[in-house]
Amino acid sequence: MTTVGGEPILEVEDLRIEQPRREGARTIVSSVAFSVRAGETVGIVGESGSGKSLTARAIMGLLPRGVAASGAIRHDGRNLLELSEPQLRSLRGRRIGLIMQDPFTMLNPLQRCGQILAESLPSGRSMGRRERRLEVARRLAEVGIHDETVLDRYPFQLSGGMSQRVGIAAALARDPEILIADEPSTALDVATQQEILAVIKRLQDARGMALVLITHDLRVAFSICDRINVLYAGSLIEAGEAAALHSEPLHPYTQGLLLSEPPSDRRVQRLMTIPGAVPTADQVTGSCAFASRCQWAAEECRRSAPPLVEVAPGRLSACARLPEIRSEMADLRDVALVEAEAPVPSAGAALLVEVRDVRKVFRGAGVPALDGVSIELRAGESVGIVGQSGSGKTTLARILVGLERASAGSITIDGVPADDWPALRPADRRRLRGVVQMVFQDPYSSLNPMRTIGWTLRQAITAHDRAARNVDAQLADLLRSVGLSPDYARHRPQLLSGGERQRVAIARALAVRPRLLICDEPVSALDVSVQAQILNLFDELRAERQIAYLFITHDLAVVRQVTDRVYVMHRGRVVESGATSAVLRDPHAEYTRTLVAASSTTADR
């Protein structure tokens, strides 16, 4: 284990990032300062728009064109903001490495992995072709890839977890003393996420390397970081040791983030949410950045920006009212984390979906995507399907809504045989469309950017009922049902936040008054506070409309919060099923135990 100590090897001081514009500079980051020592892991957490990724890019000298940084980023006695591009190029990779969220942005799709890694190696040493290949293979083995055939594959031929490992190997090929990891595991399932974090941590310990982890996932931050810095609207609002911050957050925003996260070990009555959205840095100049969303905000919070000060040994907070509200914050944590009774699956409700021995083999694939899958779902029931990427979850969902056709097996939805949607009578297809609708992971790609929200919802209403009356009134009711005002009908998708777009996508699915919503990773791309809002919304809609859910996710904390029963899938098969609370508390299948252990390790390490 690496010993952390000594002087900082990287210091960020009063960092400010702006985008010059004709009408005046736009502030993106207004005040960020932190340091990193050799062997230390420092986390930077915050929601989208907080400025964390641009802070990483400023350190690397990779800010987008037209965006400028001021202040100081000190490394090895030099301010990196004052270096020329050739000087920065000599630092990148050799002294400071970078891992991006999407490995495909780091890996040239036209090069084989072996060539990518060979070009990343230090240039000072001359090696022959065989020696270079052996060195590249050794670098792959460092990140847990022992199959040398990966060297001859292109990035698109690898899984997400495998390509991320190659990206890590490339980032570490020149043996940097500091590694910046920007959301390195966000898009990965829980088991692969744990593997990637373990790889990074093992290599850090072996090399004595400093690590700066940028993430919006608090469970990841607490599992791997020594210290954590919390960013909000471009400002640093809290900092401290990870364990201390986890046990007692000392800023209302940090507490809001913690309580928005579904607990990994229990189901709660209702997730705490943070109202509104993250403002821009310019919108909160001269006041507490969090005042507009804080339940404890007072006039003094709106009158001036509180400084970041030491409020306990090693703890910094920018909350002017902390001494007054600290005990109230503790009381709220106690209330928010009270465990709810596990729902009892209903056996008496009518069978809505019956899947029997379904197989799906894609053309050219040697292994079936689905291999004898059977599931049941009753009216008003919420059922989860969990498993790693490639387990067959999404393929099953697409078959259920007619976007794919099963190779074998039977599917019945509300009494209608649904094995082959194209072969159905038009009347049966319309009936099924009225029974089942789908909510996708990325709401933006499923909404027409050229059309207003009102146009999209009107189309959904009239497509199901061409003789529909009072369409505008129905549209307004749909928006209200998902927590949006009717005014949103005038907006286009690009003007909405991620959470608002997902609400619109849900409203569109509700337009036909379905009895079943199939939700394919509907919150995995959202910030934790927005995720909490959407999960609470699903609970409310279920209570109000008696809708059934088939909830597909790789997040066990999410599935615990919103489902009654769960099916665990692995390599196209169901390996375990039962009441969600029972399966997650006492898993029987080895694969389920692996998933639960990975989720618990990430949450509680």
Side-chain angles (χ1 to χ4, degrees), residues 9-25:
I9 61 172
L10 181 71
E11 292 181 279
V12 177
E13 301 172 359
D14 196 25
L15 179 65
R16 187 176 184 88
I17 301 175
E18 295 179 316
Q19 181 180 30
R21 297 182 301 181
R22 188 173 302 170
E23 60 272 26

Side-chain angles (χ1 to χ4, degrees), residues 107-439:
L107 305 177
N108 187 334
L110 302 180
Q111 290 184 318
R112 299 181 192 274
C113 293
Q115 185 180 356
I116 293 171
L117 288 175
E119 292 182 356
S120 302
L121 292 172
S123 55
R125 180 183 163 197
S126 177
M127 287 187 282
R129 180 180 298 179
R130 176 169 174 73
E131 186 183 4
R132 185 172 290 269
R133 184 176 177 89
L134 288 173
E135 177 63 14
V136 167
R138 186 182 72 79
R139 298 286 184 161
L140 275 185
E142 270 193 325
V143 296
I145 299 176
H146 301 280
D147 180 1
E148 282 197 31
T149 64
V150 171
L151 296 175
D152 302 314
R153 297 184 209 168
Y154 291 97
F156 66 84
Q157 295 175 309
L158 305 179
S159 68
M162 187 83 79
S163 57
Q164 188 63 290
R165 288 172 186 261
V166 174
I168 293 170
L172 296 179
R174 296 189 180 183
D175 303 316
E177 59 192 20
I178 303 169
L179 178 65
I180 299 174
D182 188 3
E183 302 276 12
S185 61
T186 296
L188 306 175
D189 60 73
V190 63
T192 308
Q193 180 182 83
Q194 187 200 19
E195 292 171 4
I196 294 299
L197 293 175
V199 165
I200 293 173
K201 193 65 179 171
R202 174 172 52 79
L203 292 172
Q204 178 194 15
D205 290 343
R207 296 167 177 233
M209 183 174 60
L211 174 63
V212 179
L213 177 70
I214 295 171
T215 181
H216 70 268
D217 191 326
L218 294 179
R219 280 178 286 184
V220 167
F222 288 124
S223 74
I224 199 172
C225 293
D226 302 309
R227 290 188 293 122
I228 289 177
N229 299 279
V230 182
L231 262 62
Y232 182 80
S235 295
L236 184 61
I237 61 167
E238 183 169 0
E241 290 188 1
L245 195 146
H246 183 266
S247 63
E248 187 188 16
L250 295 180
H251 192 284
Y253 174 65
T254 310
Q255 169 149 305
L257 284 183
L258 283 167
L259 297 184
S260 297
E261 188 90 50
S264 63
D265 61 346
R266 74 193 79 178
R267 180 172 179 148
V268 295
Q269 290 286 354
R270 182 178 176 83
L271 292 169
M272 300 296 291
T273 60
I274 304 174
V278 179
T280 65
D282 288 329
Q283 289 174 326
V284 293
T285 300
S287 69
C288 170
F290 190 58
S292 64
R293 305 173 73 191
C294 180
Q295 70 184 85
W296 290 290
E299 186 56 35
E300 63 182 297
C301 307
R302 301 180 182 92
R303 212 169 33 235
S304 62
L308 186 71
V309 297
E310 188 171 47
V311 293
R315 301 292 303 278
L316 304 176
S317 175
C319 178
R321 299 201 62 212
L322 181 63
E324 305 166 61
I325 67 173
R326 191 167 177 175
S327 62
E328 291 181 43
M329 290 172 63
D331 292 341
L332 181 59
R333 289 196 299 276
D334 291 340
V335 171
L337 295 176
V338 171
E339 187 168 3
E341 290 186 16
V344 178
S346 173
L351 196 61
L352 186 60
V353 175
E354 186 176 21
V355 176
R356 286 286 172 264
D357 298 320
V358 163
R359 285 177 54 84
K360 174 63 180 180
V361 181
F362 289 100
R363 183 176 298 175
V367 178
L370 297 176
D371 190 9
V373 170
S374 298
I375 70 168
E376 291 183 352
L377 187 147
R378 298 184 178 275
E381 188 180 27
S382 181
V383 171
I385 299 182
V386 300
Q388 290 174 267
S389 300
S391 62
K393 309 185 302 292
T394 295
T395 298
L396 177 60
R398 291 175 62 84
I399 288 173
L400 287 173
V401 295
L403 296 176
E404 298 283 355
R405 187 166 64 179
S407 304
S410 67
I411 300 169
T412 305
I413 301 176
D414 197 29
V416 177
D419 313 338
D420 187 353
W421 282 59
L424 290 173
R425 294 180 305 162
D428 284 336
R429 271 201 303 274
R430 282 196 301 273
R431 177 180 168 187
L432 286 181
R433 292 287 180 219
V435 171
V436 58
Q437 287 286 304
M438 192 161 182
V439 177

Side-chain angles (χ1 to χ4, degrees), residues 37-99:
R37 293 170 293 182
E40 185 179 31
T41 303
V42 172
I44 301 177
V45 304
E47 296 175 276
S48 301
S50 63
K52 55 189 189 299
S53 288
L54 281 180
T55 297
R57 288 182 174 273
I59 296 171
M60 298 296 296
L62 293 174
L63 286 173
R65 187 184 300 274
V67 176
S70 60
I73 301 174
R74 302 193 186 281
H75 173 263
D76 202 18
R78 296 187 291 179
N79 183 357
L80 303 187
L81 298 181
E82 297 174 350
L83 299 186
S84 65
E85 175 57 27
Q87 289 173 313
L88 286 169
R89 201 177 299 128
S90 70
L91 285 175
R92 294 184 196 122
R94 189 171 62 86
R95 305 294 297 277
I96 306 175
L98 176 66
I99 302 172

